[in-house]
């Protein structure tokens, strides 16, 4: 269910030209502390490499 | 279509007389030349107003949902044992029945609440496309005969082949005949050209990310947030749409460019496995926003990822309400 939503959302974001790679989805169990740290580290690196998001961003003021 | 119209009127009359339906939702001649408009028939003698032709644009499943919801709300204060069912009759072609299947899958009403008069369909005219084809002239009078549209216009007499101005969704429609029905009028219509249905999407996918974003931006810049697309869509039936929610407010109202993009993106995305490509949203859009380019991608993904075509079978569950461990693609998962 949720996984189908993420699969289609990521693909649709890419299609309209927003970097869908910012959508990161995976499973981590509550007992997997190491894996959690590793996933978050990887995700942070990925997002840092992409730089700031500048599409669909609302500038207020 | 003459013959079908005669049978349709007879059938509608019979259903009303026999009290098999309390109202028949169909199409009547529109007030402008070469148009048809939804109508609600409650008296047998009014059934002669019904028409069925290539000008019947809107997906009537929208009104089925509206009427049933209205009726259900009116029954809320009635004692359960005194509640009555109100059967809604509807003239339905392929996409209308698909939308109703989606309603049924989503448990909006029961099969017994609707009486479906199925009609074969060979597509409807894209009104905006026709206008472009005749150089923007005003249509004064017109008729469709033998696959040709004959018109008297402000720029003289004109003839256009029906095939050339069919709506995009119709030209590549896979399900032009009703999937479910209680009575079927006439015999099945010949198939359209479904093999070409994803051509536009494939071409768009081949463009670069920046080109795609530029196109999305340009199209959505046309949108004036009138919400007509949502109002016309049978799958958009939420009592309170996210657009109007204020706690939390998902998206700003007004003309901010980003707000409009977010509105569009979210409404479009709500159509995964729920858009039947009836083109009603495209037809009502006053600004000619190319919504189909995006809706069709959702349809393609839904078929490629999950093997599902929205509303194509009564046995299906909503595709986002389940998953298939063995066949679903897993390549979107990060670090599995
Ligand atoms: S999104 Fe448009 S094409 Fe799709 S079901 Fe709704 S009205 Fe029809
Ligand atoms: S856009 Fe979404 S929230 Fe709004 S009516 Fe349609 S399905 Fe419901
Ligand atoms: S009908 Fe067209 S202009 Fe109106 S909200 Fe929808 S896309 Fe925008």
């Amino acid at each position: 269910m949720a996984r189908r939503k993420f699969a289609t959302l990521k693909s649709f974001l890419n299609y309209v030209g927003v970097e869908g790679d910012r959508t990161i989805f995976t499973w981590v169990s509550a007992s997997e502390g190491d894996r959690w740290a590793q996933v978050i580290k990887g995700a942070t690196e990925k997002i840092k490499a992409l730089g700031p998001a500048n599409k669909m961003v609302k500038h207020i003021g | 279509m003459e013959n079908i119209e005669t049978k349709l009127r007879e059938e509608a009359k019979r259903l009303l007389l026999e009290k098999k339906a309390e109202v028949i939702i169909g199409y009547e001649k529109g007030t402008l030349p070469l148009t048809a408009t939804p109508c609600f028939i409650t008296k047998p003698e009014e059934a002669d107003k019904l028409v069925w032709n290539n000008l019947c644009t809107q997906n009537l499943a929208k009104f089925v949902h509206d009427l049933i919801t209205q009726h259900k709300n009116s029954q809320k204060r009635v004692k359960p044992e005194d509640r009555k069912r109100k059967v809604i009759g509807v003239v339905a072609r392929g996409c209308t029945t698909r939308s109703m299947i989606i309603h049924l899958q989503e448990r909006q009403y029961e099969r017994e609440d609707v009486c479906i008069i199925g009609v074969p369909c060979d597509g409807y005219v894209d009104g905006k496309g026709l206008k472009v084809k005749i150089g923007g002239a005003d249509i004064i009078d017109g008729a469709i005969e033998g696959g040709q549209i004959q018109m008297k216009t402000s720029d003289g007499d004109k003839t256009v082949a029906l095939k050339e101005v069919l709506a995009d969704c119709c030209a590549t429609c896979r399900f032009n005949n009703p999937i479910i029905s209680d009575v079927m009028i006439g015999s099945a219509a010949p198939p359209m050209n479904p093999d070409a249905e994803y051509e536009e999407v494939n071409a768009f996918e081949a463009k670069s990310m920046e080109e795609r974003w530029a196109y999305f931006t340009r199209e959505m810049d046309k949108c004036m947030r009138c919400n007509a697309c949502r109002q016309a869509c049978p799958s958009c039936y939420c009592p309170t749409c996210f657009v109007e929610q204020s706690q939390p407010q998902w998206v700003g109202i007004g003309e901010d460019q980003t707000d409009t993009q977010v509105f569009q993106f979210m409404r479009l995305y709500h159509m995964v496995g729920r858009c039947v490509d009836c083109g009603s949203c495209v037809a009502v859009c006053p600004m000619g926003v190319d919504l189909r380019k995006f809706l069709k991608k959702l349809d393609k993904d839904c078929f490629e990822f999950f093997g599902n075509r929205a509303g194509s079978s009564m046995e299906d569950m909503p595709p986002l309400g389940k998953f298939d461990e063995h066949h679903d693609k897993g390549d979107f998962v990060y670090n599995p």
Side-chain angles (χ1 to χ4, degrees), chain B residues 230 233 235-245 263 266-268 270-271 274:
Chain B
R230 178 194 71 182
C233 177
S235 287
C236 268
Y237 57 67
C238 302
T240 308
C241 176
F242 73 89
V243 169
E244 274 107 25
Q245 253 170 37
F263 154 62
M266 280 173 75
R267 193 193 87 84
L268 293 167
H270 284 184
M271 292 301 135
R274 308 179 68 236

Side-chain angles (χ1 to χ4, degrees), chain A residues 4-5 11 14 25-26 58, chain B residues 212 259 269 301 319 328 334:
Chain A
R4 286 192 163 189
K5 288 183 190 150
S11 165
N14 268 322
F25 177 87
T26 195
K58 185 172 176 178
Chain B
R212 296 200 301 267
D259 282 334
Y269 184 69
D301 278 358
D328 276 12
Y334 172 70

